[in-house]
Amino acid sequence: QVQLVESGGGSVQAGGSLRLSCAVVGVITSRFCVGWFRQPPGQGREGIAGIYTEDGRTSYADSVKGRFTISRENANNTFYLEMNSLNVEDTAMYYCAAGGTYCYVDLRRESYYNYHGQGSQVTVSS
């Protein structure tokens, strides 16, 4: 049984920072991926960041590159999304996801992910 437990999120003013956490509970495979996805109000879901545990390779959407950082704390299998220089366009529900098959091909492709967190709301005000 695999569970992803998210925490973090909240409200912040434009230019501020937030950190999301995603604890992966249970075993997927020895090599797996964790991705972060977001869905703004009335829009589709976007893959914004992903990391492959085998080699630490990361991928970022252009919309967040240079502002967001995905990382892993090995000791407790927790993954983080550090979000800096937030703007109102970053307002969305954020989800973490984990996958173990072919996810390394495209770290931000949601169809490669099998497990999802419950979601965290991020609201950025001007």
Side-chain angles (χ1 to χ4, degrees):
Q1 183 80 10
V2 176
Q3 287 185 308
L4 275 61
V5 181
E6 292 186 43
S7 60
S11 298
V12 66
Q13 287 194 319
S17 299
L18 285 173
R19 188 177 77 164
L20 302 179
S21 301
C22 177
V24 179
V25 181
V27 177
I28 304 174
T29 66
S30 59
R31 296 169 288 181
F32 61 96
C33 305
V34 169
W36 286 96
F37 301 82
R38 69 182 182 185
Q39 187 165 17
Q43 299 183 40
R45 197 173 296 193
E46 173 191 21
I48 57 172
I51 186 168
Y52 184 40
T53 62
E54 169 70 5
D55 56 13
R57 179 163 48 92
T58 58
S59 174
Y60 296 94
D62 288 343
S63 57
V64 305
K65 197 173 295 183
R67 300 187 298 122
F68 291 13
T69 303
I70 187 171
S71 63
R72 178 190 188 187
E73 184 176 326
N74 292 333
N76 56 14
N77 223 20
T78 297
F79 295 78
Y80 302 96
L81 185 68
E82 188 74 37
M83 304 183 292
N84 299 314
S85 301
L86 286 161
N87 55 59
V88 294
E89 288 76 29
D90 294 316
T91 295
M93 183 69 79
Y94 285 70
Y95 302 87
C96 68
T101 304
Y102 301 122
C103 58
Y104 56 87
V105 175
D106 185 343
L107 296 175
R108 292 184 286 112
R109 182 170 178 174
E110 192 169 13
S111 60
Y112 288 148
Y113 288 84
N114 311 102
Y115 309 97
H116 295 80
Q118 77 275 18
S120 299
Q121 178 66 40
V122 172
T123 302
V124 185
S125 58
S126 58

